Amino acid sequence: MSKRILTGVRANGDIHLGNYLGGIRPMVKQSNELANGDKLFMFVPDLHSITTPVNYSNLFATTINNIRIYLASGLNKDNEDVYLYRQSQISAHSELSWLLSCFGYFGELSRMTQFKDKSEGKANVSVGLFSYPILMAADILLYSADYIPVGDDQKQHIELTRDLAIRVNNKFDKEIFKLPKKWSKQLEFMNIDEGVRIRSLSDSTKKMSKSIDDPKGTILLKDNPLDAAKKIMRAETDNLMSIDWNWENQPGITNLLQIYSLLNDKTNEEATNDWKGGDRYGDFKKVVAGSVETFLMDFQSKMNTITDQEILDILVKGEQKAREISTPKLKEFQKAVGLIKN
Ligand code: TRP
């Protein structure tokens, strides 16, 4: 059975090694391994970026840069089944979002934890932030996506998307929207697809996060490679003095093993076997630091060769293709609702 995979990476904030290894890299791999009939949708949810105040004068550049990161990471842009686009430039997203908002309930949206977290204690919370999950449902349903590789924090949004699709399909007694797979299936898919969660270098019980919150624990893709190597050298470990893959007892060492395995294209077992039982954490760290340094140098030099114009040309093409898929889906729903006849 062919499958459709869809994901959006927000265009605000700097992308770190955790985003890259856990989110972007598996997608890039997918783009090179699509089976016949599979499709991969990768877009920038730039309309979601403005649900909270951002630096508007930078938004365009950040969006373009996100696409540049995908390309420098090796995304197969020449595969006809790979779709790269900006959410804002496909008007069907905004249009479907409105229609779906008339089927979404105030109560269910009020229960979204991301909304509660992001709005807590704020004086002025935008209506856009409240209806954020509806727009996300539109992003997914327009393309009949099966798999949506996202973090646990998005689970509720995926479930809401399914609920909305079920509600609409029942209402009109017709399969207008394809249901994305259940969360458990999403997890299965993401695990096949690595299930990587890179931890902070300063506190290996936490996920790597934005660098303002945790400068020592976070490696940004734009960091100076030598500085990044130093962060690895200073990464938190333990005093067991024996290297092994063990998230429970040695999360710091295991995190480094994971970084080492991914950057050197090794399996977890291969990486562990390279180092298992070793007691020289310093030597191990030097090798991991070297892998990170080489990766960043290589990545950054690729970034520098991709021009804005090249990216815009790719987007124009990708957005054209995205419209061809999303417009008929929007029309189908408009017809059901009674806005158009044919
Ligand atoms: N909400 C997602 C996040 O914060 C980004 C996003 C928007 C998204 N629309 C999407 C992800 C559709 C997957 C599918 O990470």
Side-chain angles (χ1 to χ4, degrees):
M1 264 270 280
S2 64
K3 57 184 180 302
R4 291 186 173 191
I5 310 158
L6 177 142
T7 196
V9 178
R10 293 188 64 169
N12 41 15
D14 289 318
I15 295 193
H16 57 67
L17 194 64
N19 302 136
Y20 171 77
L21 293 174
I24 296 175
R25 197 171 174 278
M27 285 296 116
V28 166
K29 218 169 104 202
Q30 288 283 350
S31 79
N32 289 301
E33 290 170 0
L34 289 178
N36 214 352
D38 290 354
K39 290 189 187 300
L40 175 65
F41 300 92
M42 276 191 92
F43 71 102
V44 183
D46 49 355
L47 293 172
H48 277 121
S49 297
I50 56 172
T51 53
T52 48
V54 293
N55 184 340
Y56 301 103
S57 56
N58 271 349
L59 182 58
F60 181 76
T62 334
T63 300
I64 296 297
N65 211 45
N66 260 32
I67 303 283
R68 182 178 281 113
I69 288 171
Y70 297 156
L71 296 172
S73 307
L75 188 82
N76 187 344
K77 62 173 172 36
D78 300 319
N79 184 337
E80 278 301 310
D81 294 317
V82 174
Y83 293 70
L84 267 173
Y85 51 97
R86 289 163 291 181
Q87 179 190 44
S88 65
Q89 299 311 301
I90 317 288
S91 58
H93 290 243
S94 304
E95 295 179 62
L96 180 59
S97 182
W98 176 261
L99 296 181
L100 286 175
S101 76
C102 300
F103 292 82
Y105 302 141
F106 186 83
E108 65 190 346
L109 285 170
S110 309
R111 286 193 293 274
M112 295 287 127
T113 44
Q114 181 169 305
F115 173 71
K116 286 197 265 184
D117 291 347
K118 288 197 178 183
S119 59
E120 202 186 292
K122 301 260 160 63
N124 291 313
V125 174
S126 75
V127 176
L129 185 66
F130 183 70
S131 51
Y132 178 118
I134 300 268
L135 176 60
M136 181 160 164
D139 298 338
I140 295 168
L141 298 177
L142 277 174
Y143 300 89
S144 308
D146 304 293
Y147 295 103
I148 303 107
V150 283
D152 302 349
D153 60 328
Q154 300 297 311
K155 174 176 180 229
Q156 257 190 330
H157 295 165
I158 303 290
E159 285 168 348
L160 177 79
T161 303
R162 282 175 55 90
D163 290 346
L164 285 170
I166 293 170
R167 194 174 303 156
V168 166
N169 290 350
N170 284 343
K171 176 91 196 156
F172 298 100
D173 198 18
K174 190 170 175 248
E175 203 201 324
I176 298 173
F177 295 121
K178 179 157 193 221
L179 300 191
K181 303 278 186 219
K182 285 209 259 302
W183 185 250
S184 58
K185 296 273 176 222
Q186 300 285 349
L187 282 181
E188 261 172 47
F189 178 76
M190 285 185 264
N191 278 323
I192 300 168
D193 206 46
E194 303 199 344
V196 172
R197 292 278 181 279
I198 302 292
R199 310 278 179 92
S200 159
L201 301 170
S202 63
D203 177 355
S204 41
T205 61
K206 297 207 183 99
K207 275 204 310 191
M208 191 175 277
S209 65
K210 282 188 290 231
S211 65
I212 355 159
D213 303 336
D214 182 18
K216 291 199 189 98
T218 307
I219 290 178
L220 296 180
L221 294 185
K222 67 174 191 198
D223 273 356
N224 174 312
L226 283 173
D227 293 344
K230 280 189 202 137
K231 288 187 196 174
I232 296 282
M233 294 307 294
R234 293 187 195 127
E236 177 206 53
T237 52
D238 52 61
N239 49 23
L240 296 175
M241 286 304 155
S242 174
I243 299 172
D244 201 0
W245 188 286
N246 186 333
W247 285 115
E248 194 85 346
N249 299 333
Q250 303 191 263
I253 287 287
T254 310
N255 194 34
L256 294 177
L257 273 174
Q258 176 169 254
I259 294 172
Y260 166 84
S261 79
L262 292 168
L263 291 181
N264 291 290
D265 279 316
K266 294 185 183 243
T267 63
N268 300 352
E269 289 76 36
E270 286 166 347
T272 311
N273 288 336
D274 285 354
W275 295 98
K276 199 176 167 77
D279 58 359
R280 301 170 71 105
Y281 285 7
D283 291 351
F284 169 53
K285 279 182 163 180
K286 254 185 228 152
V287 174
V288 183
S291 306
V292 169
E293 190 182 329
T294 311
F295 161 72
L296 283 183
M297 278 179 359
D298 188 47
F299 179 81
Q300 290 171 2
S301 75
K302 280 194 204 120
M303 287 288 283
N304 289 332
T305 62
I306 307 167
T307 65
D308 279 15
Q309 192 52 51
E310 215 175 307
I311 293 169
L312 286 168
D313 290 346
I314 293 169
L315 286 174
V316 167
K317 224 180 111 212
E319 285 160 6
Q320 180 57 36
K321 289 198 308 178
R323 277 182 209 110
E324 282 164 21
I325 297 215
S326 53
T327 310
K329 191 45 81 184
L330 173 69
K331 296 268 174 225
E332 204 182 324
F333 191 36
Q334 286 181 337
K335 213 163 93 186
V337 171
L339 295 169
I340 53 173
K341 197 86 189 122
N342 292 300

